[in-house]
Amino acid sequence: MERKVFQLGDIVLMKKNHPCGSNEMEIIRMGMDIRIKCVGCKHSVLVPRAKFEKNMRKVIRSAAESSADPSDAGTESS
């Protein structure tokens, strides 16, 4: 079975909804356990990695995508 790829700062879609109604979570800590924060109500939960990988559907927004293309607002040409 293929391992799911995710990293710190990613927004992931979970199989079950959080009690607030949102099923989008942000990964805020990684290790043997993974801390995720609900995008809807900002509540955080510590989940064992195996349970997280089982209940994660897919990565919605990757942290690498948002920081990969910074704008050139600070550079000006005369």
Side-chain angles (χ1 to χ4, degrees):
M1 190 168 128
E2 188 176 320
R3 288 197 64 124
K4 297 179 180 176
V5 179
F6 51 88
Q7 60 185 355
L8 194 64
D10 286 356
I11 306 293
V12 296
L13 185 70
M14 302 299 285
K15 286 185 181 176
K16 293 185 179 178
N17 288 349
H18 189 254
C20 75
S22 175
N23 60 350
E24 293 182 7
M25 301 282 185
E26 178 184 1
I27 301 172
I28 57 175
R29 179 185 177 273
M30 290 179 58
M32 284 299 293
D33 297 323
I34 296 179
R35 184 169 297 276
I36 53 178
K37 180 172 66 172
C38 178
V39 172
C41 68
K42 308 296 187 220
H43 184 259
S44 67
V45 182
L46 190 64
V47 183
R49 182 180 283 266
K51 187 174 181 180
F52 174 80
E53 289 180 353
K54 178 184 167 200
N55 292 328
M56 184 187 91
R57 283 192 183 157
K58 65 179 180 178
V59 175
I60 298 173
R61 286 187 301 271
S62 176
E65 288 176 2
S66 61
S67 63
D69 192 21
S71 64
D72 295 331
T75 59
E76 294 181 20
S77 59
S78 308

